[in-house]
Amino acid sequence: MSRPADVVAVDLGGTTIKAARFDAQGVTEETLRLATPSSEGPQAVVAAVVRAATALVRVRTAAVGLCAPGLIDAGAGVVRYAANLGLRDTSLAAAVADRLRIPVTLEHDVRAACLAEQRLGLGADVQDLLVVVLGTGIAAGIVSNGQLVEGAHGFAGEFGHIPVHPDGELCACGQHGCVEAYAAAGALVRRYRRTGGTADNAADITAQKDTDPEAARLWAEGTDALGRALVTATLLLDPQRIVLAGGMTAAGDALAEPVRHSLQSGLAWRTAPAVDISPLGADAGLLGAALRAAEAAGARAYLRTTC
């Protein structure tokens, strides 16, 4: 008998391309990581995604799921704009499909992570959910009444650009005081280096915050900014649960506890929703992309027991 079909997922990030092949039971068969060649231009980025998918696809592979940051037109399979990757109106799904001749889906990376959390993680029994993905940037996935929210133009979830400090730090988006300018990994590293500190990533700052007052101050400002933004999101959306996901959640309670405190402090008349760290870690986007690929292959229940 022939083996059941598998799917391949590719998560295009600002610094790293992660890819994996999953069998029909949702078990990871093989993984791959490549550096994102964003400095070499958009064609190099697209070529790297095609290369990652091609390396993992086998004869039995039924579909490929892609996820990427930026403004994503999932229906068309197009990255409308991703500043950090130099992509504009880029037909990413078509580029992979033209090479592999199998169905290819494209989803926003944070909505993919939210989908994975909804089906496989802490959102499995929740109808109203907010998933905040913390990495180089910050964005959110929203589930309302059990449905993933995309917004009128597909741009819902720009959580990182909620202003928390008027006239505060300049954000890459051009606004001042965005939560991303304080709490994103990239911003934390930049701000710490401005004080003379040495850090390559947010984990370096976390490791030094107990011995370096500047690291402690910036970490506190970052977690407080995140909590302030969650106050706004809570009052607007009334989520049952808030899940923190992405690479920065490796900090565990050092991240979650001050965020919970900041959130509850900002809510004078109601109890804050639960705030938890995702069990899916930094691979949530990859799992969500695999779920989209499985849907394209006609296997909606696929990966349901991965975690």
Side-chain angles (χ1 to χ4, degrees):
M1 295 176 61
S2 61
R3 294 181 61 182
D6 59 34
V7 298
V8 166
V10 182
D11 182 353
L12 170 59
T15 58
T16 305
I17 297 171
K18 298 184 292 185
R21 187 176 64 254
F22 299 89
D23 71 13
Q25 284 70 49
V27 177
T28 305
E29 292 187 318
E30 187 176 357
T31 63
L32 175 69
R33 285 177 178 258
L34 301 173
T36 305
S38 51
S39 62
E40 299 175 26
Q43 291 184 334
V45 172
V46 173
V49 171
V50 173
R51 187 163 65 251
T54 302
L56 293 182
V57 164
R58 299 293 182 264
V59 172
R60 65 182 184 276
T61 302
V64 174
L66 312 175
C67 67
L71 304 181
I72 304 298
D73 185 340
V78 173
V79 180
R80 294 298 177 195
Y81 182 57
N84 293 337
L85 297 170
L87 303 181
R88 185 184 290 273
D89 293 328
T90 302
S91 298
L92 191 61
V96 176
D98 287 348
R99 174 67 177 272
L100 298 174
R101 303 297 178 183
I102 57 176
V104 179
T105 65
L106 174 66
E107 181 59 273
H108 188 278
D109 57 352
V110 174
R111 280 199 290 273
C114 187
L115 177 67
E117 201 67 51
Q118 181 189 20
R119 295 198 190 165
L120 309 173
L122 295 176
D125 60 348
V126 174
Q127 290 294 298
D128 292 274
L129 176 72
L130 180 68
V131 178
V132 180
V133 180
L134 307 165
T136 305
I138 298 175
I142 304 163
V143 175
S144 179
N145 195 28
Q147 300 298 312
L148 195 62
V149 176
E150 296 186 4
H153 304 94
F155 303 157
E158 288 295 341
F159 181 89
H161 301 294
I162 293 176
V164 292
H165 293 299
D167 303 319
E169 290 271 345
L170 178 65
C171 181
C173 74
Q175 295 180 159
H176 285 266
C178 294
V179 61
E180 190 170 293
Y182 294 86
L188 280 166
V189 170
R190 287 192 297 272
R191 298 185 77 214
Y192 187 54
R193 286 175 176 173
R194 285 208 310 254
T195 72
T198 302
D200 293 323
N201 49 53
D204 291 341
I205 298 172
T206 308
Q208 297 178 71
K209 69 182 182 63
D210 291 334
T211 56
D212 184 344
E214 286 300 313
R217 176 180 67 84
L218 293 173
W219 186 259
E221 289 181 0
T223 54
D224 181 64
L226 183 55
R228 287 171 180 252
L230 288 174
V231 169
T232 298
T234 296
L235 293 172
L236 183 65
L237 300 171
D238 188 27
Q240 181 179 347
R241 178 173 290 156
I242 296 170
V243 177
L244 306 180
M248 284 184 61
T249 59
D253 283 343
L255 172 70
E257 287 298 334
V259 169
R260 290 180 186 125
H261 176 76
S262 178
L263 171 58
Q264 186 60 73
S265 296
L267 296 171
W269 52 268
R270 59 157 292 170
T271 301
V275 177
D276 297 300
I277 300 292
S278 170
L280 304 182
D283 288 335
L286 197 64
L287 289 167
L291 286 165
R292 287 296 190 221
E295 290 175 2
R300 184 170 179 79
Y302 190 87
L303 287 176
R304 196 170 290 276
T305 60
T306 296
C307 298

